[in-house]
Amino acid sequence: MEVENTQSQNRVVLFPSDQLKPGERKLIKVDQLEIAIINVDEKIYAFRNECPHQGISMVYGPVTGTMVTSNPQEYKYGLENEIIKCPLHGWEFDLKTGKSFFHLIRFPF
């Protein structure tokens, strides 16, 4: 592991990205923080390996899509392979931003 300091943040080089094939996952520990790293359709995502709800490990949560905003009585599925779900309670998180879909889509007020 290589750590590189920049002006406002640290950059940690863990391994060459080509060592993580599509569909593969790794769990890395940096200091006291566990980071889950997954390759989805040749895109590498890294996120904290802990659901904020009850601290469940997220590394083996399913990668799926979710229901997206639509008109009343219309049900649209989207964001395929862009969502990771907590394996315990199904809370959904955007792989690109880390934001939870629990309150953004289900409770838009």
Side-chain angles (χ1 to χ4, degrees):
M1 178 168 50
E2 168 188 333
V3 177
E4 176 184 311
N5 291 320
T6 62
Q7 286 181 348
S8 62
Q9 60 187 0
N10 289 333
R11 178 178 176 200
V12 179
V13 179
L14 303 170
F15 55 87
S17 62
D18 63 355
Q19 286 185 0
L20 193 65
K21 304 297 181 215
E24 290 184 341
R25 302 166 187 232
K26 284 190 179 207
L27 187 59
I28 304 293
K29 197 167 193 175
V30 178
D31 295 326
Q32 299 300 315
L33 184 65
E34 283 190 354
I35 305 294
I37 303 172
I38 63 175
N39 182 331
V40 179
D41 298 332
E42 298 188 11
K43 294 178 186 169
I44 305 294
Y45 298 98
F47 49 92
R48 188 174 182 174
N49 187 41
E50 183 178 348
C51 179
H53 177 218
Q54 290 187 340
I56 300 302
S57 175
M58 295 288 291
V59 70
Y60 294 112
V63 175
T64 66
T66 192
M67 301 307 290
V68 295
T69 304
S70 58
N71 295 322
Q73 298 183 357
E74 180 180 87
Y75 301 96
K76 291 174 72 174
Y77 182 82
L79 304 174
E80 183 64 34
N81 290 333
E82 295 182 25
I83 304 297
I84 188 154
K85 289 186 176 185
C86 172
L88 184 61
H89 291 116
W91 281 27
E92 299 173 331
F93 301 89
D94 185 314
L95 281 168
K96 293 177 185 174
T97 66
K99 291 184 179 180
S100 169
F101 276 82
F102 181 73
H103 65 282
L104 296 177
I105 291 179
R106 288 174 181 74
F107 305 105
F109 43 84

